[in-house]
Amino acid sequence: MTVTTFETKTYQNFINNEWTVSSSAETIESINPATKEVVGLVQKSTEEDLNRAVEAAHTAKKAWRRIGQAARGQFLFKAANILEENLDHIAETMTREMGKTLPEAKGETARGIAILRYYAGEGMRKEGDVIPSSDKDALMFTKRTPLGVVGVITPWNFPVAIPIWKFAPALVYGNTIVWKPATEGAVTAAKVAECFVEAGLPEGVFNFITGSGSLIGQGLIDHPLLNAITFTGSENVGQNVAKSAAARGIKFQLEMGGKNPVIVTKDANIDQAVEAVISGGFRSSGQKCTASSRVIVEEAVYDEFKEKLVEAAEKITVGNGLQEGIWMGPCASESQFNTVTESIEKGRQEGATLIHGGEVLTGSEYDNGFFVTPAIFEDVTTDMAIAQEEIFGPVVALIKAADLEEAIDMANDTKYGLSASIFTSNISSLLEFVDEIEVGLVRINAESAGVELQAPFGGMKASSSGSREQGEAAKEFFTAIKTVFIKGS
Ligand code: NDP
């Protein structure tokens, strides 16, 4: 399958090895945030469709477990190759659907392929450990076993990489899945699903269903045949997932928001810090859970840092991410745009000073999209909403700190704990930061966004349910351990 032209079409659910329309006979439009054109239509699924998807995954789980890990890995290798053949088309769809620039979308799709190959390789790696028994005539070992049917609920901001880093390990470790993507990324998701379908997974192993979060997402979480749920998205929905899963005693994994700080110390390489804040704060229009949103700068270098940051932000080109030369695309949807503009207004009202950007772009091609220029605030105190609430947009708040200790206290003064950076050339400062900062991803002289696929990813406090995704850590969530003791008869 190699698609070269872009067409607006209607995508179906994939349930029990069949592309199928919803019993509602209704569809939902997905809109391009740069042009307001329809990118495609997806099924507005019903409870009946959802039941069929979960039942198919339930029926398939025994056979999928039995074919073995190595054979399962082979399906992922195939899916990776098919995704690679379609990289350009999928990336273009992503840019059209959620606005990130084409180079970023290509980078994300390439990452999805690399994740698939990493987990395909897991098919050939060990499933357990041999543990010495105190009985010399016995053999004791652990063996990983799948959980069963895993519900996968994913957001729109990384419509390729996040789903794949959830369902690639789920599948290779022997689970069957029902995937409900974000509606705002559902066309891109359908194209990823097509690659998996072409890889020829057995009946019922991979199920894809679109529809509203409150009906299909909630219905999936509450479904009695579900054995585990993995979710990335907002904190409100995540808390609801936790309640429902805990009440039924099923395993759950939540990755939610962040209010990620960057500390710039007096001995930092200021140019390096500026580059990282520009990239971490504004790439993908700030719509990353690891985006840099608070920059806490030691007084001694505050003015120099601020001037250089504003100078760099002035060079950012905003527009349709399909066009060459555009560095930052639109907000992904009207609701994201509203959140961003309201947050900017709230920042002003609270007494912060907008020193750059934050303007809604209008005129000619901008009138049809959700474009805001990258915003930088100063005079921000840690109690303000712009220093506490996740905006998920191109808004960076500058906060002045007297010294490193105050900077770390300010960095920790939030309910979130996903990722944090420090820029320093002082080893004592960086060691203090590593020890004191309350986050899952600690970055030294590097932007707050970004993690390698072979390393654990996840947060602390309200950012996460505590488990980790990616790399070997995924095995902990997607499997259960059996301890086996064998004695000769
Ligand atoms: P949501 O949490 O609403 O959406 C994430 C996923 O959950 C989507 O697939 C959504 O489906 C689904 N969903 C929505 N409601 C329910 C429900 N009641 N039960 C089960 N699933 C549900 O996030 P939004 O897309 O609305 O974004 C809102 C905010 O969340 C952002 O501004 C940002 O702050 C945060 N966010 C954080 C992300 C991260 O990476 N940590 C990613 C995305 C958002 P549907 O799309 O159909 O509503």
Side-chain angles (χ1 to χ4, degrees), residues 28 152-158 162 180-185 210-221 231-238 240-241 255-258 287-290 335-336 339 390-393 416 418 457 463:
I28 310 170
V152 178
I153 301 182
T154 55
W156 44 263
N157 60 334
F158 285 94
I162 291 181
K180 193 270 185 256
T183 302
E184 280 150 14
T210 55
S212 88
S214 53
L215 183 72
I216 302 304
Q218 188 70 48
L220 181 58
I221 296 162
F231 167 86
T232 298
S234 64
E235 199 192 333
N236 282 350
V237 177
N240 194 30
V241 173
E255 289 306 335
M256 299 167 289
Q287 300 168 136
K288 295 181 183 178
C289 49
T290 50
S335 80
Q336 281 307 124
T339 307
E390 184 181 44
I391 299 170
F392 228 57
Y416 294 112
L418 186 52
F457 174 82
S463 292

Side-chain angles (χ1 to χ4, degrees), residues 111 114-115 118-119 451-457 469-474:
R111 186 189 176 95
I115 295 168
Y118 175 90
Y119 285 109
V451 64
E452 298 191 33
L453 62 97
Q454 69 277 25
F457 174 82
E469 302 189 272
Q470 303 203 58
E472 277 186 42

Side-chain angles (χ1 to χ4, degrees), residues 133 135 137-141 483-489:
S133 167
D135 181 340
D137 297 323
L139 171 65
M140 187 163 67
F141 62 92
T483 304
V484 184
F485 178 86
I486 307 176
K487 175 125 174 134
S489 63

